[in-house]
Amino acid sequence: MNTKLSSIDFTADLSAGIEKHPCFNKEASKHYGRVHLPVAKSCNISCNYCHRDYDCPNESRPGVTSGLLLPEDAVNRIYEVKKLFKDISVAAVAGPGDSLAEPLNTMKTFELVKKEFPEIILCMSTNGLNLRENLEELREKGVNFITVTLNATDASIARKIYRYVNYNGIVYTEKDAAEILLDKQINGIENAVKMGFTIKINSVLIPGVNDFHIKDISDKAKKLGVYLFNVMPMIPAEESYFYKMGVSGANRKDVANIMKGIKGINIMEHCRQCRSDAAGLLENDLSKEVSEREENLICEFKKMPY
Ligand code: CLF
Ligand code: SF4
């Protein structure tokens, strides 16, 4: 949905609930859990640390497969999770592909969840390519919190991270891919902030590729009015391009060292690099128990056709 900025009401407070959001508020993570609803199958870009047999490593740990849910089953998933842990404050779509590559399932899921659980905070992560054109609808559905994975702000670095970008059916590669993705990400974040969404940026730390560039990303995040900055160590998915090329992953210590130089923005230090079907407290993932209780998973993620 395309909406002119002039027609948007900028007065809405979309930070409501931050005191109960386990990712945006470390204290809240001790008491409140989140549930990820794995309804977004496809992706529209190709990150070199990703392999599409696995979850999106931008907001999840590669190397684990998940079942997919239909939007109609998302409400039931939340009831199942609540049987195991009742204080679920957030429901989110975080893959296993990109939440906005085919936004229909994501939007339908938010609609159904909001109707059944009006008190639950809605959250979403995305690579940002299709963010701008979906902002108005996300707000209509009641989403307040959005995470965008931004791994570079410079096209010469971004082109080493992405193999292709498919925007509106046109496939871009190399510098063109990097430029269009960066342009859409920055524009999406800028407008989301203006509309009052609470935004987190996730950056995947890739040794030798963007480690020296994290400060530039944080500076850009500050300028854009992003609320929270989260740097995650890259864990290259098996069979991914980086994995095959021998690009080594990073670890928490690498992240801590880089973050010493980052000032002037809220930093997330308690990220668990969750699965796209994670459930419960960040510290205690219940996804395995939940999927064992359900019979309505479409099929194993690995078997889904792309
Ligand atoms: Fe999920 Fe992400 Fe929303 Fe949290 S996760 S979509 S903001 S509800 Fe949280 Fe998990 Fe880290 Fe993400 S610990 S991977 S930051
Ligand atoms: Fe993979 Fe996520 Fe990148 Fe898409 S956005 S290619 S699912 S890591």
Side-chain angles (χ1 to χ4, degrees):
M1 178 186 292
N2 261 320
T3 308
K4 284 209 173 73
L5 269 181
S6 54
S7 68
I8 293 171
D9 166 20
F10 292 115
T11 57
D13 176 14
L14 300 190
S15 67
I18 203 160
E19 69 289 347
K20 285 190 178 178
H21 196 309
C23 303
F24 283 74
N25 180 338
K26 191 173 181 182
E27 190 51 35
S29 69
K30 295 175 191 161
H31 313 287
Y32 296 101
R34 47 74 185 100
V35 53
H36 281 173
L37 303 162
V39 297
K41 172 172 69 97
S42 315
C43 193
N44 43 13
I45 68 173
S46 180
C47 305
N48 284 330
Y49 46 72
C50 180
H51 187 265
R52 297 292 295 119
D53 275 355
Y54 303 97
D55 287 346
C56 171
N58 287 338
E59 188 94 9
S60 61
R61 217 171 47 236
V64 283
T65 54
S66 312
L68 280 161
L69 278 186
L70 289 170
E72 290 72 19
D73 296 325
V75 165
N76 188 52
R77 165 65 59 92
I78 298 175
Y79 277 121
E80 287 299 317
V81 172
K82 276 174 163 282
K83 283 182 199 163
L84 298 170
F85 182 80
K86 70 177 172 38
D87 289 327
I88 295 295
S89 60
V90 176
V93 178
D98 183 69
S99 309
L100 297 175
E102 289 170 346
L104 223 61
N105 273 6
T106 296
M107 297 299 181
K108 185 78 190 159
T109 301
F110 286 139
E111 188 183 314
L112 295 173
V113 170
K114 198 69 190 173
K115 208 166 151 199
E116 189 75 10
F117 302 99
E119 74 289 358
I120 278 190
I121 300 161
L122 299 180
C123 186
M124 189 198 72
S125 70
T126 174
N127 60 38
L129 183 67
N130 288 348
L131 180 58
R132 172 63 193 94
E133 50 263 56
N134 284 289
L135 283 173
E136 188 65 13
E137 196 172 352
L138 286 168
R139 196 169 68 169
E140 277 165 21
K141 301 294 180 209
V143 175
N144 292 16
F145 294 86
I146 300 174
T147 292
V148 181
T149 302
L150 185 69
N151 293 327
T153 54
D154 183 319
S156 65
I157 298 170
R159 67 184 293 183
K160 296 178 186 158
I161 303 174
Y162 304 102
R163 249 187 339 284
Y164 69 80
V165 165
N166 181 339
Y167 185 65
N168 285 344
I170 300 172
V171 176
Y172 300 83
T173 57
E174 303 189 2
K175 194 159 171 275
D176 294 341
E179 281 176 355
I180 191 161
L181 181 61
L182 288 186
D183 180 57
K184 298 290 170 194
Q185 289 174 321
I186 300 299
N187 189 254
I189 295 167
E190 210 165 31
N191 285 298
V193 170
K194 278 187 194 153
M195 287 171 69
F197 287 95
T198 304
I199 303 296
K200 168 160 70 66
I201 283 183
N202 279 356
S203 296
V204 180
L205 179 69
I206 312 165
V209 176
N210 72 351
D211 44 359
F212 55 89
H213 183 54
I214 296 293
K215 174 134 188 357
D216 300 328
I217 304 174
S218 81
D219 288 342
K220 186 71 181 174
K222 264 182 267 175
K223 268 194 203 136
L224 289 167
V226 165
Y227 179 81
L228 191 60
F229 185 47
N230 177 28
V231 176
M232 318 163 96
M234 179 186 71
I235 310 165
E238 272 179 51
E239 301 301 315
S240 67
Y241 179 78
F242 278 161
Y243 182 89
K244 286 182 187 158
M245 298 304 288
V247 178
S248 57
N251 58 39
R252 284 268 138 215
K253 213 171 152 197
D254 299 326
V255 172
N257 285 336
I258 298 268
M259 297 317 276
K260 282 180 197 156
I262 308 294
K263 304 268 182 280
I265 188 164
N266 298 319
I267 307 277
M268 181 176 188
E269 290 175 325
H270 62 293
C271 178
R272 308 301 300 173
Q273 290 179 273
C274 317
R275 300 162 54 110
S276 64
D277 59 354
L281 288 170
L282 298 191
E283 287 296 329
N284 184 21
D285 182 31
L286 299 170
S287 54
K288 193 161 176 279
E289 287 91 319
V290 175
S291 61
E292 279 167 8
R293 293 164 69 108
E294 284 180 332
E295 288 166 8
N296 52 2
L297 289 177
I298 294 176
C299 64
E300 285 302 303
F301 178 56
K302 268 187 127 164
K303 294 178 194 148
M304 286 305 292
Y306 283 94

